[in-house]
Amino acid sequence: MELRRLGMADYDALVELWAEAGLPVKPHGRDALGAISHQLTLPNIAFLGLFDGGVLAGAAVATHDGRKGWVNHLAVRTSHRRQGLGRRLVHACEQWLEAQGIRIFASLVEAGSDASRALFDAMGYVLFEGVTYHTKRLEPGA
Ligand SMILES: CC(C)(COP(=O)(O)OP(=O)(O)OC[C@H]1O[C@@H](n2cnc3c(N)ncnc32)[C@H](O)[C@@H]1OP(=O)(O)O)[C@@H](O)C(=O)NCCC(=O)NCCS
């Protein structure tokens, strides 16, 4: 299993993996080809992928704002689950964030995403009860 940073050549495989894993994809917003291409140039974001014989088996996106780091869009292909890939990807995000000077890691987990919640629990993330998530979108599908 090879772990490496993703680039534009991996775009189609990444979007396919997100869809296969049941994650929301915004093809006309932040997941559009041009948007991801721009994000790949930013210093505070890392797209990480795990490859099984050339097949993208899992991926995660680490981001930070200089204060706190985030593990986003964690996805493992259905055929590859419960083999430690999710744990390895979260750990890789943490290592990359730590190398950027970030000492606190966080993730937003949707209600009902029991596997994800169990994984973050298992990795020492503490649930903050009572936190709500508020967003404002400049256009639908952003
Ligand atoms: C969440 C997800 C990434 C986990 O990936 P994974 O590779 O199967 O996870 P791992 O094998 O590394 O599991 C690590 C630990 O997490 C917990 N865990 C993972 N999946 C679990 C499940 N379905 N039920 C209970 N615990 C689970 C276990 O403690 C597990 O350790 P163990 O296998 O030794 O018991 C994967 O299920 C997935 O892609 N789900 C759909 C997308 C998603 O919900 N993404 C998260 C968005 S925030």
Side-chain angles (χ1 to χ4, degrees), residues 83-129:
Q83 298 170 39
L85 276 69
R87 197 187 283 271
R88 200 168 153 196
L89 284 161
V90 172
H91 186 58
C93 287
E94 292 173 348
Q95 283 187 314
W96 181 81
L97 289 165
E98 198 177 342
Q100 315 302 308
I102 300 298
R103 311 287 301 166
I104 174 168
F105 315 130
S107 188
L108 293 170
V109 177
E110 281 189 31
S113 189
D114 295 340
S116 179
R117 176 143 173 207
L119 183 146
F120 284 109
D121 282 349
M123 293 194 70
Y125 286 68
V126 176
L127 173 68
F128 262 70
E129 299 276 8

Side-chain angles (χ1 to χ4, degrees), residues 35-108:
I36 299 276
S37 173
H38 171 65
Q39 291 161 33
L40 282 165
T41 68
L42 301 176
N44 61 326
I45 181 164
F47 289 77
L48 301 170
L50 266 177
F51 289 83
D52 182 9
V55 174
L56 184 63
V61 184
T63 61
H64 74 85
D65 53 19
R67 288 166 57 85
K68 188 182 288 181
W70 294 90
V71 179
N72 309 278
H73 259 48
L74 174 66
V76 171
R77 196 169 290 286
T78 314
S79 56
H80 286 70
R81 291 190 186 162
R82 295 311 287 268
Q83 298 170 39
L85 276 69
R87 197 187 283 271
R88 200 168 153 196
L89 284 161
V90 172
H91 186 58
C93 287
E94 292 173 348
Q95 283 187 314
W96 181 81
L97 289 165
E98 198 177 342
Q100 315 302 308
I102 300 298
R103 311 287 301 166
I104 174 168
F105 315 130
S107 188
L108 293 170

